Amino acid sequence: MEKFELIAPCHFGMEAVLKREILDLGYEITKVEDGKVTFEADAQGIADANIFLRSTERILLKVAEVKAETFDELFEKTKALPWENYIPKDGKFWVAKANSVKKAIVERLKGVYGVSWFEEDGASFPIRVAFMKDVATIGIDTSGVSLHKRGYRKMTVKAPITETLASALIMLTPWNKDRILVDPFCGSGTFPIEAA
């Protein structure tokens, strides 16, 4: 089975909770940093992470980390990546806040697929780019809609806490399902719902 490097972003300070969740699923942690945990998994692991991890916002399939001091360098290094291994000829892809990355991917795929225009009418492959100093981490978002949107809220109110953070905070307490949960400040019910 092919292994992938996956990145799971989380709220700052909740890395230990997320790390424990990933280890409980049986996957190997490769790096823990402020606001994210990186781990290795196969294709089944991508699905498992998206379904079972409760304290992350999304799961990113890491394509590469590139050191680039200029936009030209970022363009060339991104273009050199094997995008055809991830995005098919009809794949629909976009990059938020990094137009040169989208252009580099298009140039690479035009050469590989022998086309001058992409219809982009197939499956979606949202690309996410994070910069830390001169290093760009480029990944494909495997989650789609943010994982804190659990699908049980048909109507929303202004809630001061996301479901992923509420879930992580509950995991930090000694509470378990055999005990009564009391939430005296229950507003939109995030803590009781996540505990359930």
Side-chain angles (χ1 to χ4, degrees):
M1 280 253 147
E2 183 179 3
K3 291 272 187 167
F4 302 100
E5 194 168 16
L6 304 174
I7 300 169
C10 64
H11 289 280
F12 286 99
M14 296 298 158
E15 298 85 1
V17 173
L18 179 55
K19 178 182 174 184
R20 187 174 65 224
E21 278 192 287
I22 293 167
L23 291 172
D24 287 348
L25 283 178
Y27 299 106
E28 183 181 331
I29 305 290
T30 57
K31 192 189 302 184
V32 178
E33 299 172 274
D34 288 343
K36 67 181 176 182
V37 178
T38 305
F39 63 104
E40 287 186 345
D42 56 10
Q44 181 62 48
I46 295 171
D48 288 347
N50 274 291
I51 293 169
F52 298 114
L53 293 180
R54 300 183 63 223
S55 58
T56 186
E57 293 292 321
R58 59 188 66 257
I59 302 298
L60 305 173
L61 188 153
K62 182 177 169 184
V63 175
E65 255 182 18
V66 297
K67 183 170 177 26
E69 294 179 5
T70 67
F71 285 114
D72 288 338
E73 192 177 2
L74 177 62
F75 181 90
E76 292 304 325
K77 288 184 175 180
T78 302
K79 184 179 173 186
L81 297 172
W83 289 103
E84 62 277 7
N85 293 347
Y86 304 100
I87 302 172
K89 190 174 182 178
D90 67 344
K92 177 173 36 176
F93 60 98
W94 61 93
V95 183
K97 301 178 187 173
N99 290 335
S100 63
V101 170
K102 166 84 176 192
K103 290 176 186 170
I105 297 169
V106 167
E107 288 303 311
R108 168 72 182 211
L109 294 178
K110 278 168 55 174
V112 170
Y113 294 131
V115 297
S116 60
W117 179 260
F118 289 96
E119 293 297 324
E120 294 193 57
D121 56 0
S124 295
F125 297 87
I127 311 293
R128 297 214 176 236
V129 182
F131 294 96
M132 177 59 91
K133 297 185 182 176
D134 293 337
V135 177
T137 303
I138 305 169
I140 298 173
D141 185 346
T142 68
S143 302
V145 176
S146 179
L147 296 177
H148 84 273
K149 296 182 178 177
R150 309 272 203 242
Y152 58 75
R153 293 189 191 272
K154 298 299 176 197
M155 295 181 62
T156 60
V157 297
K158 183 149 179 76
I161 192 167
T162 65
E163 291 80 353
T164 52
L165 181 56
S167 185
L169 289 171
I170 290 168
M171 288 183 223
L172 285 172
T173 70
W175 180 83
N176 67 53
K177 63 182 179 180
D178 297 330
R179 300 176 73 184
I180 293 173
L181 176 78
V182 177
D183 183 7
F185 300 107
C186 186
S188 58
T190 307
F191 279 108
I193 292 169
E194 290 303 315

